[in-house]
Amino acid sequence: VACLDRSRVGLSTQVDGRGQKLKTMLHRASSTTARFCVIVGEGELARGVVAVKDLAAHAQEDLPRDAVVRILADRLAGGGTR
């Protein structure tokens, strides 16, 4: 669902499925033009959320899985923090 939604709102995504350590993947994401890194682990799946790391602000928060695409699209468009 998120993949379909993100294409409708014009978000570009990349998936890193190399199975490396999280720190390595975050470092790689920081070296690109990516603004956010979305982290989906077993704990997040169980709670119905995703962890979103704002690579520019060096902050992390949990967002509802069913709303993350809209929230990030709004943020990238300058529509605020929520």
Side-chain angles (χ1 to χ4, degrees), residues 39-41 43-44 47-53 59-65 68 71 75 82:
I39 303 162
V40 183
E44 289 84 10
R47 295 189 327 269
V49 300
V50 295
V52 177
K53 176 98 173 163
Q60 183 172 319
E61 66 182 315
D62 288 344
L63 295 176
R65 200 171 52 198
V68 67
I71 292 169
R75 290 181 184 179
R82 279 254 154 195

Side-chain angles (χ1 to χ4, degrees), residues 3 6 11-15:
C3 291
R6 66 119 188 122
L11 294 179
S12 170
T13 59
Q14 292 182 358
V15 175

Side-chain angles (χ1 to χ4, degrees), residues 1-79:
V1 174
C3 291
L4 296 174
D5 288 346
R6 66 119 188 122
S7 64
R8 272 187 250 152
V9 297
L11 294 179
S12 170
T13 59
Q14 292 182 358
V15 175
D16 190 340
R18 297 177 221 192
Q20 296 177 324
K21 293 182 181 182
L22 181 58
K23 185 174 181 178
T24 301
M25 290 188 283
L26 288 172
H27 180 71
R28 186 177 306 110
S30 293
S31 68
T32 69
T33 59
R35 169 76 191 278
F36 301 105
C37 184
V38 177
I39 303 162
V40 183
E42 290 180 20
E44 289 84 10
L45 286 173
R47 295 189 327 269
V49 300
V50 295
V52 177
K53 176 98 173 163
D54 185 325
L55 299 173
H58 303 287
Q60 183 172 319
E61 66 182 315
D62 288 344
L63 295 176
R65 200 171 52 198
D66 61 350
V68 67
V69 172
R70 178 187 47 79
I71 292 169
L72 295 182
D74 287 349
R75 290 181 184 179
L76 289 171

